[in-house]
Amino acid sequence: MIYYDKHVEDMTCIAKEVNHGPAPIPEEGKWVQSKEIKDISGLTHGIGWCAPQQGGCKLTLNVKDGIIEEALIETIGCSGMTHSAAMAAEILPGKTILEALNTDLVCDAINTAMRELFLQIVYGRTQTAFSDNGLPVGAGLDDLGKGLRSQVGTLYSTKLKGPRYLELAEGYVTKMAVDKEDRVIGYEVVHLGKAMEAIANGMDANEAIKKNTATKGRYADAARYIDPRKE
């Protein structure tokens, strides 16, 4: 029951004739007047961070008729976040986006990412806003590529000793190529995802590493090679 203040009860009634409903938003190739959670669909990404900004989360959700059908949780910078991400992976699918927004996803970075995604989704700013029927469940895996590994860049540098390439989008950096003037001109990298797939399929581990090792830049022209983790 709704209770009205006496001031309101004593007011005379005036007809309200304008009721056009909400402005339509783009959703998976359609213009939708969203009035309920079930009216919302779309796939999108968002970034979240914790209060001390020690770690970050990239969250991808695929929402169909208000229900989260698919979730990809990628975290970096904090060991505890990986365990929180494991819990979030169990929590998110099957919930409405409103339920997910008001569910503790354990890690503040993941919670913040959920908030940012909610805003994009309900305002029609998804990645699939103008894509007919959106993307199928499973599309989140496309972000990971072969071997199903996140695209990670890990680089370290000091003023005294310069940069160290540790991991790039291609994979785990094993050697850096340096010219006569001590400038980086290339690197050797292991495609860990592909290597692990090969090992799982029965290939010898050493052979798998060797077969999935590549060089970038002017690697062959180097004056010397260094191990970025030891030298």
Side-chain angles (χ1 to χ4, degrees):
M1 180 181 292
I2 300 174
Y3 294 95
Y4 292 99
D5 185 270
K6 191 173 187 307
H7 294 290
V8 175
E9 287 187 341
D10 290 344
M11 289 179 181
T12 187
C13 287
I14 303 293
K16 179 188 175 187
E17 297 187 9
V18 178
N19 185 15
H20 300 308
I25 61 174
E27 292 184 27
E28 300 190 337
K30 305 179 185 68
W31 289 95
V32 179
Q33 280 191 312
S34 297
K35 299 180 180 180
E36 300 178 39
I37 291 297
K38 66 180 179 62
D39 297 330
I40 299 291
S41 295
L43 179 144
T44 200
H45 318 278
I47 301 294
W49 55 95
C50 58
Q53 299 189 29
Q54 182 180 355
C57 170
K58 176 195 168 191
L59 179 62
T60 302
L61 297 181
N62 197 351
V63 178
K64 301 290 185 184
D65 300 324
I67 304 294
I68 296 171
E69 296 287 346
E70 176 184 20
L72 171 63
I73 305 106
E74 301 173 87
T75 64
I76 191 167
C78 171
S79 59
M81 293 175 67
T82 59
H83 298 79
S84 300
M87 288 182 270
E90 295 189 21
I91 293 168
L92 287 170
K95 287 190 177 294
T96 69
I97 55 171
L98 184 59
E99 286 178 307
L101 182 68
N102 290 288
T103 296
D104 183 7
L105 300 174
V106 186
C107 168
D108 274 349
I110 305 176
N111 283 320
T112 303
M114 182 63 228
R115 180 195 71 195
E116 296 301 306
L117 260 72
F118 181 86
L119 293 174
Q120 291 182 40
I121 294 167
V122 298
Y123 281 118
R125 267 65 170 183
T126 64
Q127 303 294 311
T128 55
F130 298 101
S131 302
D132 286 344
N133 299 317
L135 289 172
V137 175
L141 294 176
D142 293 339
D143 280 0
L144 300 178
K146 292 183 178 179
L148 301 184
R149 298 191 75 243
S150 297
Q151 303 297 306
V152 177
T154 307
L155 300 100
Y156 178 74
S157 183
T158 61
K159 179 182 176 183
L160 182 65
K161 298 295 184 177
R164 298 294 186 275
Y165 297 179
L166 302 176
E167 187 155 356
L168 299 174
E170 299 97 337
Y172 185 94
V173 178
T174 52
K175 293 180 183 177
M176 291 172 59
V178 181
D179 67 11
K180 292 179 181 179
E181 297 179 358
D182 294 330
R183 297 175 300 188
V184 180
I185 60 172
Y187 53 90
E188 180 184 77
V189 63
V190 178
H191 302 278
L192 285 179
K194 294 180 182 179
M196 292 305 297
E197 280 187 345
I199 292 169
N201 289 329
M203 185 180 290
D204 175 74
N206 289 325
E207 183 183 353
I209 293 293
K210 185 176 180 180
K211 190 170 184 179
N212 289 286
T213 297
T215 60
K216 304 293 180 179
R218 294 186 292 114
Y219 187 82
D221 299 333
R224 62 192 178 101
Y225 304 94
I226 69 165
D227 181 337
R229 290 171 177 79
K230 295 180 179 179
E231 298 178 72

